[in-house]
Amino acid sequence: MRLNFTTLFAVFFFLYFPLSSDAQKKPTKEIPQYVSNIEGIKEYRLVNGLQVLLVPDPTQSNMIINIVYRVGSRNEGYGESGMAHLLEHMLFKSTKNLGDIKKMLSDKGGNANGTTSDDRTNYYEIFPSSEENLKWALQMEADRMVNATILQSDLDKEFSVVRNEFEIGENDPESILQERILSTAYLWHNYGKSTIGSKEDIERVKASRLRLFYEKYYQPDNATLIVAGKFNEAQAIQYIGEFFTIIPKPNRVLEQPYTVEPSQDGERFVELRRSGDVQYLGAAYHTCALADSDFAPMSVLLNILDNNPSGYLYKSLVETQIGSAIYCYQQPLHDPSYAYFSFEVPKDKSLDIARKAFLDALDNISKTTYTEADLKRGKAGRIKSIENTTNNTVMLAIQLTEYIGAGDYRLWFLNRDRMEKVTLQDIQRVAEKYFRTNNRTWGEFIPTDNEQRTKPEEFTDERIQQLLKNYQGREIITSDSSFENTISNIKAHTTEVKLDNGFHYSFVKKPIKGGKVLASILIPVGEEKSLQGKAITASLMADLLKAGTKNMTKEQIHDKLDELKSSINFKWYGQTLNISISSYEKELPEVMNILKQCLTESVFPENELIKTKTENNAYLSSQIKDPQNIAFITLDKKISNYPAGHFLYTYSPAEEIEEQNKVTRLQILDFFNTFMAANHGLGTIIGNLPAEKINKMMKDVFGGWTNTTPFIRYKPSYSPSNSCYERINTPDKENAAVMCGVNIKISQQDADYPALMMANEMLGSGGFLTSRIPTRLREKEGISYGAGSYLSVSKDNDDAQWGVYAFFNPSAVNRVDTALQDEIIKAVTLGFTADELKQSIISWKNERKTSLGYDGVILSLINESMKTNIPIDSFDELEKKVNALTVDQVNATLKKYIDTKKMCYVFAGDFDKKK
């Protein structure tokens, strides 16, 4: 049977070990070994691991046998919710040696029950004191520990019983609201899941699966046996030795759940609508485990809050007649627990008023200055309860169940001692520590009639196969054409055309599946001085090119492109508008017509400019405190020499927001009319259309789009960078980043480039996490998800940069720092091995071969070739140069270009955060 609302929920993954493979040799009977006596509770241990607690009380006329297994919903795995509780039901069926448990319990005439909670399951029997009852109860518990039958036929019958128990709970809106709130409060830990589990899991689990769970957890090394009340201790010891010591200790290691619920990072809300006659409000706050010293003052505080008639919540919410009842409690749990508040509001009372009052009252918990009178009253109530239970031996034996599940029976006494020592400062401290809005999950139950809920249909594997039984698919469209992605073949199928206005493009006649056509167009404009201060304006212009033209609205453009299954995208970088097109052979003419309108007839609506700024600013604001972004921008500012306003200047998010807010629609229009034209543009198209059809479309779109504004392509030139080392603190960020760089003077045409490139491959960018830096930081030390090196070298200018990066937990900053510098210094001073170079060349060549299989790479290669006048043959030529490299050349080149003393390191993360 399931506990009421004070029973909570937990789950985790486990391994299954059948008993037959765990059992050792059958042990002989033994005498339980005495361990200790804690205030009248005598502890014994058996070799098989069973803990025994004897609590003799000659003033009783009854005795209780209570066995506690340290398994609850906290231990359940995916798809097994409710298994611990379902197993509890099954253990009242039968055992191999004794038969019908329920009938025997009925014949004995005692009181018996079983309960399942988050951390434990227990079974107890209360009988009049007699040797016969003692012997039978111990024999029965020993037998059902390992000999329960767990028959499928019994399970089939018990389904309806457990389902009915589930349905009874479903009829209690207050209980369901609590379940919904806790499942929202706990994202990962199983305390957020109901002990009774999912109805679907309960109905579908098989007896064989339940037995695996039983054989793993129902073992003596995972149990505590309590015998309490009036009984003969010598007889109890004798019978325990007789019945329990013959059970072998399993060989399996019982792994404990290790999930830790992360700190809640914001208030959460739940709404529940069902049939009902009373409104409810509920709230949960993450608190502490039973073993935590905060548990006692928290318990006292909760008593101060809901006590009738003096409690703060009672006075503000019930005495004022806003609602009819308020209570709160904290569950004693093994892992961090929660404080739960439930507020009952009659249907004729205003839920809006109650909601505000409830949340205000909860907010006031941390703001209230509590008094000595509050402390005295709160402690008195809790200590009274403890003393009353301690002095009722049968009730103590049952109550110890929770404390055993939470870690150890002795926590009962430790919690009592702590309770007696609670101070006013303790109360104030826990109130301020735990009762924060960002640690709260709250919800409300709104009674409704005939609520219609949506339940999607389930598709089993069998149903899916039946659905697809006769499915044939559509007619296969095949192409006899094939294309070998090599440089020589790409050249053989490429035609370069130059239009009268200067625009030139390359067409690669290449079949793409489905008749797809891809294009990449570059429209460079202006020169260094004329573009000063216009980078943000140009970027906004690019963002707005699809926002509306003279003949089409933004909505019409969007809808038409979707209809054509095509896309046009614009992006500005440096002094160039980058255009990417994805379409199909039949749809391409219409798509190119839309492109022409966007490029020549855009109107840049004011309302779209405002929306674009708002969207951009929201994104930029999200990057202001991002460690990766901070590290990258800070490094770039330190090693580059571009002044503010230069089109290659790197703006911080705050700077970009400020500059963007200054841009007007008239400035965008002026930039568009002054600079934008195709007479210096270039592009590449890949598809299987006739060349003359492509030429007609390109002429129509770009051939007449011209102006006389001067264009001079800007070529950056090398400037030395200075060394630096900086750590930037970014509070409340879980991840950290380091960016490191140094400027170097080299271009891809330089004779040293192949060797430097391969050195970078081996150090940090080559292979699949197999180069030195990722191997060290990720594979060996496990301190970084992503780490490596980078080399940025242009085709036709000598402004290059080399650097490293890593992303990591802030607590590992010193280890990351050491590892990065260590690997760089070792590579520069000691170099690489011939075998490393050999393997890296193989990997590099395979990656390049793979890359030519991507049409996007082909577009980029050809565009870069047209822009720099360097033939794409350089792709193959580089490979020949790499094949000829020696390890000595590589090592000498790395040492020549990379001066570790000139490196600039920027770390960003929450480095002040405690581990």
Side-chain angles (χ1 to χ4, degrees):
M1 300 97 219
R2 166 175 78 144
L3 293 185
N4 62 13
F5 58 79
T6 59
T7 302
L8 310 180
F9 337 90
V11 183
F12 203 76
F13 305 106
F14 47 78
L15 302 173
Y16 294 120
F17 299 90
L19 182 64
S20 59
S21 64
D22 286 345
Q24 297 174 337
K25 290 179 66 176
K26 188 175 181 180
T28 57
K29 297 176 185 177
E30 62 172 285
I31 298 174
Q33 296 299 305
Y34 173 79
V35 177
S36 65
N37 185 336
I38 306 293
E39 299 189 26
I41 298 179
K42 300 176 184 179
E43 180 182 353
Y44 295 82
R45 286 278 181 176
L46 303 187
V47 172
N48 61 17
L50 180 69
Q51 182 186 49
V52 178
L53 303 179
L54 301 184
V55 193
D57 181 1
T59 67
Q60 288 278 339
S61 60
N62 291 331
M63 64 178 177
I64 178 172
I65 288 83
N66 181 26
I67 190 162
V68 183
Y69 294 95
R70 295 174 186 83
V71 57
S73 54
R74 171 171 168 258
N75 304 88
E76 293 166 351
Y78 184 76
E80 298 166 346
S81 64
M83 186 173 284
H85 173 250
L86 185 58
L87 184 59
E88 172 221 312
H89 278 248
M90 292 298 292
L91 259 68
F92 281 94
K93 293 294 184 181
S94 63
T95 68
K96 294 176 183 177
N97 297 323
L98 295 181
D100 191 333
I101 298 292
K102 285 183 179 177
K103 184 178 185 305
M104 287 185 286
L105 285 169
S106 179
D107 292 344
K108 291 291 179 182
N111 295 325
N113 201 359
T115 67
T116 305
S117 187
D118 307 89
D119 299 318
R120 87 302 174 284
T121 305
N122 79 312
Y123 306 84
Y124 65 83
E125 302 81 43
I126 303 173
F127 296 116
S129 295
S130 73
E131 180 181 355
E132 178 188 353
N133 286 338
L134 176 66
K135 179 178 181 180
W136 180 86
L138 291 172
Q139 182 182 17
M140 184 272 293
E141 291 296 3
D143 196 34
R144 73 172 169 182
M145 176 181 280
V146 292
N147 291 319
T149 52
I150 313 182
L151 302 174
Q152 185 64 49
S153 57
D154 287 335
L155 185 57
D156 293 339
K157 297 171 187 175
E158 198 65 23
F159 278 149
S160 59
V161 176
V162 179
R163 184 191 303 117
N164 184 244
E165 185 179 356
F166 175 89
E167 290 163 351
I168 291 171
E170 287 288 296
N171 285 341
D172 180 1
E174 182 185 21
S175 176
I176 298 303
L177 178 61
Q178 178 182 335
E179 286 186 6
R180 300 294 184 267
I181 288 173
L182 292 176
S183 67
T184 304
Y186 285 93
L187 298 181
W188 305 110
H189 198 288
N190 285 347
Y191 287 164
K193 294 186 178 178
S194 169
T195 303
I196 201 167
S198 158
K199 179 171 174 283
E200 284 71 20
D201 285 355
I202 294 167
E203 291 176 339
R204 300 178 190 198
V205 66
K206 298 298 182 184
S208 57
R209 190 78 177 271
L210 202 57
R211 173 163 290 282
L212 291 172
F213 189 88
Y214 167 70
E215 291 176 346
K216 178 179 181 180
Y217 289 105
Y218 280 65
Q219 296 288 348
D221 62 343
N222 194 42
T224 296
L225 174 68
I226 304 173
V227 182
K230 187 176 183 178
F231 63 94
N232 184 302
E233 291 185 59
Q235 287 178 344
I237 293 293
Q238 175 190 337
Y239 291 138
I240 291 168
E242 181 178 347
F243 299 128
F244 283 94
T245 61
I246 61 174
I247 302 174
K249 181 178 182 179
N251 290 325
R252 62 95 178 90
V253 175
L254 198 60
E255 296 180 1
Q256 294 302 312
Y258 49 78
T259 297
V260 175
E261 182 68 20
S263 299
Q264 189 165 317
D265 49 11
E267 188 174 28
R268 300 171 189 161
F269 168 72
V270 172
E271 181 181 272
L272 176 66
R273 289 179 180 266
R274 290 191 176 199
S275 176
D277 298 307
V278 179
Q279 304 169 117
Y280 290 99
L281 292 160
Y285 292 84
H286 292 282
T287 59
C288 49
L290 173 61
D292 195 309
S293 60
D294 280 350
F295 191 87
M298 177 62 73
S299 298
V300 174
L301 174 60
L302 295 180
N303 194 31
I304 293 170
L305 294 173
D306 76 345
N307 183 275
N308 180 354
S310 61
Y312 284 81
L313 296 180
Y314 180 84
K315 283 181 173 295
S316 64
L317 298 174
V318 179
E319 204 170 82
T320 57
Q321 298 186 14
I322 295 172
S324 53
I326 180 75
Y327 73 83
C328 57
Y329 71 94
Q330 179 179 226
Q331 189 78 354
L333 295 172
H334 184 281
D335 295 338
S337 183
Y338 56 85
Y340 188 79
F341 298 78
S342 182
F343 183 34
E344 181 182 86
V345 183
K347 208 169 184 179
D348 61 352
K349 299 284 187 181
S350 168
L351 186 61
D352 290 338
I353 293 173
R355 182 191 306 114
K356 184 179 187 308
F358 181 60
L359 295 176
D360 287 346
L362 294 179
D363 289 339
N364 285 333
I365 295 174
S366 61
K367 301 172 185 175
T368 299
T369 301
Y370 299 96
T371 67
E372 287 292 344
D374 294 331
L375 175 66
K376 182 178 179 181
R377 189 183 300 115
K379 287 175 66 173
R382 295 303 191 213
I383 292 171
K384 177 183 74 172
S385 176
I386 291 172
E387 290 299 321
N388 287 343
T389 302
T390 301
N391 293 319
N392 184 330
T393 301
V394 172
M395 289 304 298
L396 176 63
I398 295 174
Q399 186 63 34
L400 287 178
T401 297
E402 305 301 336
Y403 289 75
I404 292 166
D408 194 291
Y409 78 94
R410 291 169 294 179
L411 289 171
W412 170 262
F413 298 108
L414 179 62
N415 185 57
R416 175 205 59 193
D417 297 344
R418 287 172 169 175
M419 196 79 69
E420 293 171 347
K421 296 175 183 178
V422 170
T423 66
L424 197 57
Q425 289 75 21
D426 292 330
I427 299 296
Q428 209 74 50
R429 175 177 53 78
V430 296
E432 295 169 4
K433 178 179 180 180
Y434 295 102
F435 291 99
R436 300 173 177 174
T437 305
N438 65 358
N439 190 39
R440 178 170 71 203
T441 301
W442 69 280
E444 57 189 22
F445 166 66
I446 302 173
T448 57
D449 294 325
N450 301 317
E451 185 76 20
Q452 297 295 312
R453 294 193 290 274
T454 301
K455 183 175 181 179
E457 283 194 68
E458 178 188 6
F459 281 82
T460 62
D461 287 344
E462 293 76 15
R463 186 176 176 186
I464 292 171
Q465 291 308 309
Q466 184 64 32
L467 176 70
L468 299 172
K469 185 176 181 181
N470 298 312
Y471 184 76
Q472 299 296 319
R474 298 180 183 182
E475 182 182 353
I476 300 174
I477 300 175
T478 59
S479 172
D480 295 331
S481 302
S482 62
F483 193 91
E484 184 183 1
N485 280 32
T486 61
I487 294 296
S488 59
N489 195 51
I490 292 169
K491 285 179 62 180
H493 288 80
T494 299
T495 303
E496 187 170 345
V497 178
K498 190 165 186 177
L499 303 182
D500 293 340
N501 70 336
F503 180 86
H504 63 295
Y505 70 91
S506 291
F507 171 53
V508 183
K509 189 169 176 54
K510 172 184 182 294
I512 306 178
K513 185 178 179 180
K516 203 166 183 64
V517 180
L518 300 173
S520 174
I521 311 295
L522 307 181
I523 307 293
V525 300
E527 41 85 27
E528 186 177 14
K529 288 184 180 180
S530 65
L531 292 175
Q532 177 70 21
K534 294 182 173 63
I536 304 299
T537 302
S539 182
L540 283 169
M541 179 210 67
D543 291 343
L544 292 169
L545 282 173
K546 289 193 296 181
T549 68
K550 292 176 181 178
N551 297 306
M552 296 182 76
T553 65
K554 178 181 180 181
E555 184 178 353
Q556 288 172 330
I557 294 170
H558 180 275
D559 291 347
K560 191 62 179 177
L561 287 172
D562 281 351
E563 180 186 325
L564 297 170
K565 299 172 290 184
S566 303
S567 64
I568 301 172
N569 290 304
F570 301 101
K571 194 70 179 175
W572 187 271
Y573 178 73
Q575 64 182 129
T576 303
L577 176 67
N578 296 265
I579 307 169
S580 60
I581 303 165
S582 173
S583 188
Y584 294 87
E585 293 172 6
K586 291 181 181 179
E587 288 77 14
L588 186 60
E590 284 190 80
V591 172
M592 296 300 281
N593 181 53
I594 295 172
L595 174 63
K596 181 179 180 180
Q597 291 185 58
C598 292
L599 292 176
T600 61
E601 298 178 1
S602 281
V603 293
F604 310 105
E606 181 70 35
N607 65 321
E608 293 298 336
L609 173 60
I610 293 170
K611 287 192 288 185
T612 300
K613 284 184 178 181
T614 301
E615 183 180 337
N616 290 349
N617 287 347
Y619 170 74
L620 291 166
S621 296
S622 73
Q623 298 298 298
I624 289 175
K625 296 181 180 179
D626 178 67
Q628 291 185 28
N629 191 61
I630 289 172
F632 170 77
I633 289 175
T634 303
L635 175 66
D636 196 69
K637 285 180 177 291
K638 286 182 176 294
I639 65 176
S640 69
N641 294 308
Y642 296 113
H646 193 282
F647 59 74
L648 293 180
Y649 175 76
T650 300
Y651 288 91
S652 69
E655 289 174 326
E656 190 165 348
I657 290 171
E658 182 181 359
E659 291 299 315
Q660 185 171 246
N661 289 338
K662 297 176 185 176
V663 177
T664 68
R665 175 178 177 271
L666 290 177
Q667 288 174 319
I668 293 174
L669 274 169
D670 181 65
F671 185 92
F672 179 73
N673 292 327
T674 302
F675 289 98
M676 299 311 301
N679 43 309
H680 300 291
L682 58 93
T684 301
I685 307 96
I686 298 178
N688 204 25
L689 286 165
E692 56 272 18
K693 192 171 183 178
I694 292 292
N695 190 52
K696 182 178 183 302
M697 285 186 282
M698 297 301 280
K699 250 185 196 180
D700 182 56
V701 176
F702 299 105
W705 188 31
T706 184
N707 67 24
T708 58
T709 303
F711 164 70
I712 301 175
R713 181 175 164 234
Y714 177 76
K715 286 189 178 183
S717 58
Y718 165 77
S719 61
S721 55
N722 296 318
S723 63
C724 71
Y725 186 95
E726 184 173 355
R727 290 191 181 184
I728 302 169
N729 200 50
T730 59
D732 198 28
K733 292 295 182 181
E734 298 297 326
N735 195 34
V738 57
M739 294 293 299
C740 165
V742 61
N743 291 343
I744 55 178
K745 188 175 183 179
I746 193 173
S747 80
Q748 291 188 26
Q749 308 313 306
D750 195 296
D752 286 336
Y753 173 69
L756 185 61
M757 182 195 66
M758 291 312 302
N760 179 60
E761 285 280 309
M762 290 183 283
L763 184 51
S765 73
F768 181 71
L769 302 175
T770 55
S771 54
R772 288 191 180 185
I773 289 175
T775 296
R776 170 77 177 270
L777 272 71
R778 175 168 172 153
E779 304 304 311
K780 290 184 178 179
E781 297 196 30
I783 54 177
S784 175
Y785 171 77
S789 65
Y790 62 92
L791 179 64
S792 177
V793 182
S794 297
K795 279 267 188 185
D796 61 350
N797 70 70
D798 63 4
D799 182 31
Q801 187 183 108
W802 180 84
V804 297
Y805 64 91
F807 312 120
F808 54 92
N809 185 284
S811 63
V813 61
N814 292 330
R815 292 174 61 197
V816 169
D817 190 356
T818 299
L820 279 179
Q821 295 203 48
D822 184 46
E823 290 301 326
I824 295 169
I825 291 171
K826 281 197 298 186
V828 172
T829 57
L830 302 178
F832 303 98
T833 66
D835 187 59
E836 276 183 286
L837 178 59
K838 179 181 177 182
Q839 293 301 319
S840 188
I841 290 175
I842 293 172
S843 173
W844 175 80
K845 286 165 64 176
N846 287 334
E847 287 176 7
R848 279 164 63 82
K849 186 175 181 180
T850 302
S851 72
L852 281 182
Y854 299 115
D855 293 320
V857 171
I858 297 174
L859 289 171
S860 181
L861 275 175
I862 297 175
N863 277 352
E864 188 73 9
S865 174
M866 288 194 290
K867 184 174 76 172
T868 61
N869 291 317
I870 298 172
I872 62 171
D873 301 87
S874 61
F875 188 91
D876 286 344
E877 290 170 3
L878 178 61
E879 188 167 309
K880 294 176 183 177
K881 293 174 183 177
V882 167
N883 283 333
L885 286 173
T886 67
V887 72
D888 290 338
Q889 285 176 297
V890 173
N891 291 337
T893 302
L894 181 65
K895 188 175 293 188
K896 173 182 175 181
Y897 285 92
I898 306 304
D899 186 345
T900 57
K901 294 179 181 179
K902 293 183 179 179
M903 302 287 289
C904 183
Y905 288 85
V906 179
F907 295 80
D910 189 355
F911 302 127
D912 291 340
K913 184 177 182 179
K914 294 181 180 178
K915 295 181 182 179

